[in-house]
Amino acid sequence: MRIRFWGWLVLVALGLNLRPILTSISPLLDDIRLSTSMSFQGAALLTTLPVVCIGLVALCGSWIEARLGEGRGIALGLLCIFLACLARGFIADGNVLLATALLGGVGVALIQVLVPGMVKRQFVGCVALAMGVYSASLMSGGGLAALLSPHMAQAFGHWQAGLWVWLIPALLAALLWFRMPWHRPQALAQRVSFKAFVGNRRAWLLAIYFGFCNWGFMTMVAWLPAYYQQLGWSQQASGALLAWMTIFQVLAALSMPVLAHRIKDRRPLLGISLGAQVIGYAGLLWMPLAASAAWVGLVGFGLGACFVLCLLLSLDHLHDPRAAGQLVAFVQGFGFLINAIAPSMGGWLRELSGSFYSTWLVMLVSLILMLLLTLRFSPASYARINHPGQPSGAS
């Protein structure tokens, strides 16, 4: 029981550290741009680069697990996040900020690659619930950073204070991690050939689906505060709106796995989740001030649900925990590379058109296409991914 309690606590602590490196930036973006003379597209790289790192490192998931193992890999990830936040507190330079985005992104990626397989091994019988708790913690960390960063910056009189403070959760998570037996030397996983997934059309379909179902999160993180500041809101109010979105992400991440545990077919829940996002983006596009809390809440609920349901959908395809974890790493790898397009695309469209309306329109159209793609993921189709090392299945 004691090990199980500490296991849940560690899972929460790890999740809390995976989004502040991204969401602490957006409410302070105007101050950062003025201080560092960065353009909109340059500033977008502060959220784009970590996501690119997450994608590229995830594609090396099998190699990382084989060489580092869970213990050293997750410890290294926490160290990278700690150092990135520390550097942000001392140096106010655009190029250094971009370097910290890369370093923090590597740290986040290492943890995200290793946690799903760990969950499937360590939380036998409650994988859906554990993934829900992990996802909810991940989203909570993002919301807390968006809410508290502008207040910390205001209290200390400089935007850097809103960024460096997030080294504290990384330090606490590392202390908790080293209390657990999971960090000790273990039998390293057998490396699975990257080609086993590259040659499988269902693996690619899952990666594309994960990417476009969830890429709205990066758009919201990068540009939602800036969008409402453009409409006359303050930094604190726009940051609070991003935190409000996170509340609904967390509610969805906790509630959807409970329902998913009883329903083998993920399609109805995915349809509800994508539909919520469609309505939310339509509201942001056409009536942003009429019911802003409702639109952002719907987007948040849809994003929170889609993230955890897409992970579960990928884990469902393979029974072996090691193989399933490496499939999720592949899916997240290419999925996050798709996600990385969103902030830069939003910045480019903002500079081109002078507003964010075209950004919300792109989100809306892509989600409607994903709703149609959802129909292909019937439980009977899971066999279209074979165990790595076997011939890839047809789609």
Side-chain angles (χ1 to χ4, degrees):
M1 179 64 71
R2 183 172 178 271
I3 292 294
R4 178 56 62 90
F5 168 77
W6 283 106
W8 287 104
L9 191 59
V10 166
L11 192 63
V12 170
L14 291 176
L16 287 173
N17 278 281
L18 300 184
R19 289 298 176 266
I21 201 78
L22 300 171
T23 59
S24 59
I25 291 285
S26 53
L28 304 172
L29 197 58
D30 282 347
D31 287 347
I32 293 171
R33 287 183 59 248
L34 289 173
S35 178
T36 61
S37 301
M38 299 178 78
S39 66
F40 274 102
Q41 283 186 283
L45 290 175
L46 293 174
T47 47
T48 298
L49 288 177
V51 182
V52 170
C53 284
I54 292 169
L56 293 177
V57 173
L59 293 177
C60 304
S62 60
W63 183 90
I64 289 168
E65 188 176 3
R67 294 298 179 91
L68 295 178
E70 288 169 2
R72 286 179 293 177
I74 289 176
L76 181 59
L78 291 170
L79 177 63
C80 290
I81 294 170
F82 176 87
L83 293 176
C85 294
L86 182 65
R88 288 178 170 186
F90 288 96
I91 306 172
D93 177 80
N95 291 328
V96 173
L97 281 178
L98 293 176
T100 64
L102 283 170
L103 181 62
V106 169
V108 171
L110 286 170
I111 297 170
Q112 285 196 178
V113 161
L114 296 168
V115 164
M118 180 191 77
V119 165
K120 190 142 186 171
R121 278 189 292 272
Q122 301 290 345
F123 295 87
V124 177
C126 53
V127 170
L129 178 59
M131 289 303 296
V133 169
Y134 164 69
S135 300
S137 303
L138 180 151
M139 295 160 192
S140 297
L144 286 171
L147 178 64
L148 297 180
S149 290
H151 292 285
M152 293 295 296
Q154 185 178 44
F156 286 91
H158 200 280
W159 56 265
Q160 284 178 280
L163 303 183
W164 74 261
V165 70
W166 301 105
L167 64 83
I168 298 173
L171 181 60
L172 294 175
L175 294 175
L176 285 171
W177 179 248
F178 282 103
R179 284 186 60 96
M180 297 300 295
W182 305 348
H183 77 273
R184 294 170 189 159
Q186 59 194 53
L188 298 181
Q190 179 185 355
R191 184 178 176 184
V192 176
S193 172
F194 185 71
K195 293 180 181 178
F197 296 130
V198 170
N200 194 296
R201 284 175 284 179
R202 174 49 65 99
W204 281 105
L205 193 65
L206 287 167
I208 292 168
Y209 188 74
F210 177 91
F212 285 108
C213 284
N214 293 288
W215 77 327
F217 174 76
M218 297 310 307
T219 304
M220 297 290 276
V221 165
W223 301 119
L224 181 68
Y227 176 54
Y228 275 92
Q229 287 171 27
Q230 182 178 291
L231 296 175
W233 290 38
S234 68
Q235 285 184 348
Q236 288 75 19
S238 60
L241 196 59
L242 197 57
W244 173 254
M245 180 187 80
T246 304
I247 293 173
F248 288 87
Q249 283 183 280
V250 171
L251 290 174
L254 290 174
S255 60
M256 282 298 184
V258 175
L259 297 173
H261 184 69
R262 303 172 182 274
I263 305 171
K264 185 178 180 182
D265 191 344
R266 310 298 187 198
R267 290 177 297 173
L269 297 179
L270 284 164
I272 292 170
S273 307
L274 289 166
Q277 287 194 65
V278 167
I279 296 170
Y281 282 116
L284 288 176
L285 181 61
W286 289 300
M287 294 182 292
L289 296 176
S292 55
W295 310 137
V296 173
L298 282 167
V299 172
F301 181 87
L303 286 170
C306 279
F307 182 80
V308 67
L309 288 172
C310 285
L311 292 180
L312 288 173
L313 180 67
S314 299
L315 287 172
D316 287 345
H317 277 72
L318 292 169
H319 295 294
D320 177 67
R322 174 181 53 81
Q326 290 169 354
L327 171 61
V328 171
F330 176 88
V331 168
Q332 287 191 98
F334 283 103
F336 276 109
L337 289 177
I338 293 171
N339 289 180
I341 299 169
S344 294
M345 180 201 69
W348 177 72
L349 290 173
R350 166 64 178 80
E351 290 189 340
L352 187 68
S353 65
S355 76
F356 290 105
Y357 296 126
S358 50
T359 302
W360 308 134
L361 183 60
V362 170
M363 294 294 109
L364 189 63
V365 171
S366 66
L367 288 165
I368 291 171
L369 293 176
M370 291 306 102
L371 268 171
L372 298 175
L373 187 57
T374 304
L375 299 174
R376 299 197 62 178
F377 294 113
S378 66
S381 72
Y382 293 170
R384 291 175 185 174
I385 279 193
N386 299 302
H387 190 284
Q390 295 177 358
S392 59
S395 66

